[in-house]
Amino acid sequence: MEKRLRDIAEEARRSLDSVSSLAELDEIRVRFLGKKGELTRVLRKMGMVPAEERPRIGQLANEVRDVIEKSLAGRIEAVKERVKEERLRQEGIDVTLPGLPVTRGRKHPITLVTEEIAGFFLGLGYSIAEGPEIELDYYNFEALNIPKDHPARDMQDTFFIEPEILLRTHTSPVQVRAMEKATPALPVKIIAPGRVYRRDDDATHSPMFHQVEGLVVDRHIALSDLKGTLDLFARKMFGIGIHTRFRPSYFPFTEPSLEVDISCVMCGGDGCRVCSSTGWLEILGSGMVHPRVLEMSGYNSEEVTGFAFGLGVERIAMLKYGIDDMRLLFENDLRFLQQF
Ligand code: PHE
């Protein structure tokens, strides 16, 4: 029995020398130390050992188990360490290798134009306001003096989510939100760039497009402030030599309302295809904030006045860069986008 125990220790040692994986190590553990393993089998026969020998044999058996367990544990550690090193070597990153070139991206023309517009107005002391694209009927229409049965709603048909919730058709609801937030403080002087939606789709209309809204409310704001501001704006965007023309128009939320034209950027005013031989291009809608809108937003229309304007960013971009089809702006063709 004593010899058998020493043999087991020797066998285990030899088997352990040649293993290289955790699975093999486990097999060895089961083979020698398991319930039906070599050592257990020997110990079952303890009964056959004379009583006076038992303590010595028992102690020897324990020693053999200890030795096997210790060398098993040692091997497991060694194998784990090797596997880890192997993995580290394979996954290693050489931080000294030169990087892969990433071609520099560029801004979309809509972003470029929006930033240029914002830059101009920020320079005049305006701040930027925002509102939700999913808007309440109240802010998009009602509070802008466009009640449910008003014909002006037809020109701004849109996508309704619920009867009272829709995709905003213009950035003008931000006027109302900005005034509600500011009242009774003065002045209110904001621009609001953002996406708007309409049921429209052709070479000059997209169901989603971008606008920049502007609003100034204070004491003594006059039509001349509107004209001076927008004339300066047009010349900043299109060049110092450009002329502006203010035409009477109609919006339910401004009174009076004005459409702003610039002299044609293509022909300089002589008349061409782009300006339909008129010499003028319409660039934005504007007007003096309607007293009813001021009142609904919390201001006393006896004491304050204001002007507002709204322009289409796509339209400005098309005129500025000579783009003849609005859809080009949304197709994400790099050959087009890389020109800006
Ligand atoms: N919201 C108007 C439109 O989208 C433009 C506008 C804004 C007109 C502000 C007047 C004042 O057509």
Short mmCIF file of all heavy atoms in Angstrom, two decimals, residues 156 169-172 175 198 209 211 213-214 251 253-254 257-258 285-287 308-311, ligand 1:
data_model
loop_
_atom_site.label_atom_id
_atom_site.label_comp_id
_atom_site.label_asym_id
_atom_site.label_seq_id
_atom_site.Cartn_x
_atom_site.Cartn_y
_atom_site.Cartn_z
N GLN A 156 -49.75 76.15 -44.98
CA GLN A 156 -48.80 75.47 -44.10
C GLN A 156 -49.40 74.16 -43.61
O GLN A 156 -49.45 73.88 -42.43
CB GLN A 156 -48.43 76.37 -42.91
CG GLN A 156 -47.80 77.68 -43.37
CD GLN A 156 -47.01 78.38 -42.29
OE1 GLN A 156 -46.89 77.89 -41.18
NE2 GLN A 156 -46.47 79.54 -42.61
N THR A 169 -44.57 74.07 -38.64
CA THR A 169 -44.49 74.44 -40.06
C THR A 169 -43.55 75.62 -40.26
O THR A 169 -43.22 75.96 -41.39
CB THR A 169 -45.87 74.84 -40.58
OG1 THR A 169 -46.34 75.94 -39.78
CG2 THR A 169 -46.85 73.68 -40.46
N HIS A 170 -43.18 76.25 -39.17
CA HIS A 170 -42.24 77.38 -39.23
C HIS A 170 -41.61 77.55 -37.86
O HIS A 170 -41.99 76.87 -36.91
CB HIS A 170 -42.94 78.68 -39.70
CG HIS A 170 -44.22 79.01 -38.99
ND1 HIS A 170 -44.99 80.11 -39.29
CD2 HIS A 170 -44.89 78.38 -37.98
CE1 HIS A 170 -46.07 80.14 -38.51
NE2 HIS A 170 -46.03 79.11 -37.71
N THR A 171 -40.60 78.44 -37.79
CA THR A 171 -39.96 78.66 -36.49
C THR A 171 -40.68 79.73 -35.69
O THR A 171 -40.30 80.02 -34.56
CB THR A 171 -38.47 79.04 -36.69
OG1 THR A 171 -38.36 79.93 -37.79
CG2 THR A 171 -37.63 77.81 -36.96
N SER A 172 -41.75 80.30 -36.25
CA SER A 172 -42.47 81.37 -35.54
C SER A 172 -43.00 80.97 -34.15
O SER A 172 -43.07 81.84 -33.27
CB SER A 172 -43.60 81.92 -36.41
OG SER A 172 -43.05 82.46 -37.60
N GLN A 175 -41.08 82.38 -31.39
CA GLN A 175 -41.37 83.76 -30.98
C GLN A 175 -42.22 83.77 -29.72
O GLN A 175 -41.93 84.45 -28.74
CB GLN A 175 -42.20 84.48 -32.05
CG GLN A 175 -41.49 84.93 -33.30
CD GLN A 175 -42.44 85.75 -34.17
OE1 GLN A 175 -43.29 86.49 -33.66
NE2 GLN A 175 -42.32 85.62 -35.48
N ARG A 198 -43.40 70.77 -43.84
CA ARG A 198 -44.64 71.09 -44.55
C ARG A 198 -44.95 70.01 -45.57
O ARG A 198 -44.04 69.30 -46.02
CB ARG A 198 -44.53 72.44 -45.29
CG ARG A 198 -44.57 73.60 -44.34
CD ARG A 198 -44.62 74.91 -45.07
NE ARG A 198 -44.10 75.96 -44.16
CZ ARG A 198 -43.99 77.23 -44.47
NH1 ARG A 198 -44.34 77.65 -45.68
NH2 ARG A 198 -43.51 78.09 -43.60
N PHE A 209 -37.39 71.35 -44.02
CA PHE A 209 -36.40 72.36 -44.39
C PHE A 209 -36.02 73.18 -43.16
O PHE A 209 -36.45 72.86 -42.05
CB PHE A 209 -36.89 73.23 -45.57
CG PHE A 209 -38.15 74.02 -45.31
CD1 PHE A 209 -38.08 75.40 -45.10
CD2 PHE A 209 -39.39 73.41 -45.30
CE1 PHE A 209 -39.24 76.15 -44.88
CE2 PHE A 209 -40.56 74.14 -45.08
CZ PHE A 209 -40.47 75.51 -44.87
N GLN A 211 -35.34 76.96 -41.14
CA GLN A 211 -35.61 78.39 -41.09
C GLN A 211 -34.77 79.03 -40.00
O GLN A 211 -34.28 78.36 -39.10
CB GLN A 211 -37.10 78.64 -40.76
CG GLN A 211 -38.05 78.37 -41.91
CD GLN A 211 -39.46 78.87 -41.61
OE1 GLN A 211 -39.85 78.98 -40.45
NE2 GLN A 211 -40.22 79.16 -42.66
N GLU A 213 -35.64 82.20 -37.49
CA GLU A 213 -36.62 83.19 -37.06
C GLU A 213 -35.87 84.31 -36.35
O GLU A 213 -34.82 84.06 -35.73
CB GLU A 213 -37.58 82.53 -36.07
CG GLU A 213 -38.82 83.33 -35.75
CD GLU A 213 -39.87 83.15 -36.83
OE1 GLU A 213 -39.68 82.30 -37.72
OE2 GLU A 213 -40.88 83.87 -36.80
N GLY A 214 -36.40 85.50 -36.43
CA GLY A 214 -35.82 86.59 -35.64
C GLY A 214 -36.93 87.34 -34.96
O GLY A 214 -38.04 87.46 -35.50
N PHE A 251 -49.11 88.33 -43.26
CA PHE A 251 -49.01 87.21 -42.33
C PHE A 251 -49.96 87.52 -41.18
O PHE A 251 -50.04 88.68 -40.76
CB PHE A 251 -47.57 87.06 -41.78
CG PHE A 251 -46.53 86.82 -42.84
CD1 PHE A 251 -45.70 87.85 -43.27
CD2 PHE A 251 -46.40 85.55 -43.42
CE1 PHE A 251 -44.76 87.63 -44.26
CE2 PHE A 251 -45.44 85.33 -44.41
CZ PHE A 251 -44.62 86.37 -44.84
N PHE A 253 -49.69 87.06 -38.16
CA PHE A 253 -49.05 87.40 -36.90
C PHE A 253 -48.20 88.67 -36.97
O PHE A 253 -47.52 89.03 -36.02
CB PHE A 253 -48.20 86.23 -36.38
CG PHE A 253 -47.48 85.48 -37.48
CD1 PHE A 253 -46.17 85.79 -37.81
CD2 PHE A 253 -48.13 84.47 -38.19
CE1 PHE A 253 -45.52 85.10 -38.84
CE2 PHE A 253 -47.48 83.79 -39.21
CZ PHE A 253 -46.17 84.11 -39.54
N THR A 254 -48.22 89.34 -38.12
CA THR A 254 -47.53 90.64 -38.21
C THR A 254 -48.45 91.65 -38.88
O THR A 254 -49.29 91.31 -39.71
CB THR A 254 -46.22 90.53 -39.04
OG1 THR A 254 -46.48 89.80 -40.24
CG2 THR A 254 -45.13 89.82 -38.26
N SER A 257 -47.13 93.64 -42.68
CA SER A 257 -46.24 92.55 -43.06
C SER A 257 -45.47 92.94 -44.30
O SER A 257 -46.00 93.64 -45.17
CB SER A 257 -47.04 91.28 -43.35
OG SER A 257 -47.82 90.90 -42.23
N LEU A 258 -44.22 92.50 -44.37
CA LEU A 258 -43.39 92.85 -45.52
C LEU A 258 -42.62 91.63 -46.02
O LEU A 258 -42.11 90.84 -45.23
CB LEU A 258 -42.33 93.89 -45.15
CG LEU A 258 -42.76 95.26 -44.65
CD1 LEU A 258 -42.99 95.22 -43.15
CD2 LEU A 258 -41.66 96.26 -44.97
N GLY A 285 -39.75 86.66 -45.13
CA GLY A 285 -40.99 87.31 -44.72
C GLY A 285 -40.75 88.00 -43.39
O GLY A 285 -39.95 87.54 -42.57
N SER A 286 -41.44 89.11 -43.18
CA SER A 286 -41.20 89.86 -41.94
C SER A 286 -42.39 90.76 -41.63
O SER A 286 -43.36 90.81 -42.38
CB SER A 286 -39.94 90.72 -42.10
OG SER A 286 -40.16 91.70 -43.11
N GLY A 287 -42.29 91.48 -40.55
CA GLY A 287 -43.35 92.43 -40.21
C GLY A 287 -43.25 92.88 -38.78
O GLY A 287 -42.38 92.43 -38.02
N ALA A 308 -40.46 91.05 -36.43
CA ALA A 308 -40.08 89.64 -36.57
C ALA A 308 -39.80 89.34 -38.02
O ALA A 308 -40.27 90.04 -38.92
CB ALA A 308 -41.20 88.73 -36.05
N PHE A 309 -39.00 88.32 -38.24
CA PHE A 309 -38.76 87.87 -39.62
C PHE A 309 -38.50 86.38 -39.60
O PHE A 309 -38.16 85.80 -38.57
CB PHE A 309 -37.57 88.61 -40.26
CG PHE A 309 -36.30 88.48 -39.47
CD1 PHE A 309 -35.42 87.42 -39.72
CD2 PHE A 309 -35.97 89.40 -38.48
CE1 PHE A 309 -34.24 87.28 -38.99
CE2 PHE A 309 -34.80 89.27 -37.76
CZ PHE A 309 -33.93 88.21 -38.00
N GLY A 310 -38.70 85.77 -40.76
CA GLY A 310 -38.41 84.35 -40.88
C GLY A 310 -37.86 84.09 -42.26
O GLY A 310 -38.41 84.55 -43.26
N LEU A 311 -36.74 83.37 -42.30
CA LEU A 311 -36.17 83.10 -43.63
C LEU A 311 -35.89 81.61 -43.80
O LEU A 311 -35.70 80.88 -42.83
CB LEU A 311 -34.89 83.92 -43.82
CG LEU A 311 -33.78 83.77 -42.80
CD1 LEU A 311 -32.87 82.60 -43.14
CD2 LEU A 311 -32.97 85.05 -42.73
N1 PHE B 1 -43.28 82.21 -40.40
C1 PHE B 1 -43.39 82.80 -41.71
C2 PHE B 1 -43.31 81.68 -42.75
O1 PHE B 1 -42.82 80.63 -42.46
C3 PHE B 1 -42.31 83.82 -41.95
C4 PHE B 1 -42.42 85.00 -41.04
C5 PHE B 1 -41.76 85.03 -39.83
C6 PHE B 1 -43.14 86.12 -41.43
C7 PHE B 1 -41.85 86.13 -39.01
C8 PHE B 1 -43.23 87.22 -40.62
C9 PHE B 1 -42.60 87.23 -39.41
O2 PHE B 1 -43.75 81.85 -43.87
#
